[in-house]
Amino acid sequence: MSLAAGAARRRRVFDSHAAALDNYRGRGGFKTWPDAWLEAYIQHAFLPQDDQVRLACAPEWESTTFAHTEHNPWPGIRQLRCPVIALAAERGSTFSPAAQKRLQTLLPSADVRVLEGTTHFLPMEQKEAVRDAILQLALSRHREN
């Protein structure tokens, strides 16, 4: 998996939080992140180590997590009996067009949305759309009760 390979190569130590921020800003998957998200990530993803900072999650652990993630969600999806809103990125999504089509076939009432201009990091890029989808689901559950 490319996510696992990328995670395994992640640099783990920087001279400071500022150096880590400079390294990530405008690069790779982080180039679409708003500054506030990136700054919060750097602040909380790196821990002090002597006179430097290191990733709190070792690259090997992140890579192993990606490599061993369950890749067959369909049995569980077939059992869903609640409203579903599925958000997909336009580019680099882990929710492929084929999977989107399959979800729509298995759950015809599912609301599948591809958000224009987004990538794998859709929640950081379109936080309002994610918030609105969550609120829409919460309101629909409230109306049911």
Side-chain angles (χ1 to χ4, degrees):
M1 276 188 74
S2 62
L3 283 176
R9 292 189 307 269
R10 192 176 317 281
R11 182 174 165 186
R12 74 179 70 228
V13 177
F14 290 90
D15 288 336
S16 64
H17 283 97
L21 183 60
D22 287 344
N23 181 75
Y24 282 92
R25 184 176 276 133
R27 295 187 58 209
F30 296 96
K31 65 183 157 198
T32 61
W33 286 35
D35 281 343
W37 277 94
L38 186 57
E39 290 165 6
Y41 171 75
I42 296 298
Q43 188 63 36
H44 298 284
F46 288 86
L47 302 173
Q49 175 181 296
D50 301 322
D51 60 344
Q52 298 177 310
V53 294
R54 69 166 170 75
L55 277 169
C57 179
E60 300 84 7
W61 180 255
E62 183 181 12
S63 177
T64 299
T65 301
F66 286 140
H68 292 92
T69 300
E70 173 62 45
H71 298 289
N72 185 13
W74 306 112
I77 287 172
R78 284 186 186 93
Q79 296 175 20
L80 290 175
R81 300 294 177 257
C82 61
V84 171
I85 298 174
L87 304 178
E90 182 180 44
R91 299 180 322 275
S93 183
T94 56
F95 185 29
S96 71
Q100 295 165 34
K101 205 177 251 184
R102 187 168 182 190
L103 175 63
Q104 200 72 76
T105 299
L106 291 173
L107 294 176
S109 64
D111 181 356
V112 177
R113 305 174 191 174
V114 177
L115 299 185
E116 203 172 301
T118 58
T119 70
H120 168 71
F121 292 112
L122 181 156
M124 290 75 162
E125 299 161 345
Q126 295 286 327
K127 67 181 181 198
E128 293 85 5
V130 174
R131 179 206 57 216
D132 292 347
I134 293 168
L135 289 174
Q136 184 179 343
L137 286 172
L139 287 172
S140 70
R141 292 290 295 164
H142 178 71
R143 285 187 203 116
E144 288 176 8
N145 295 329

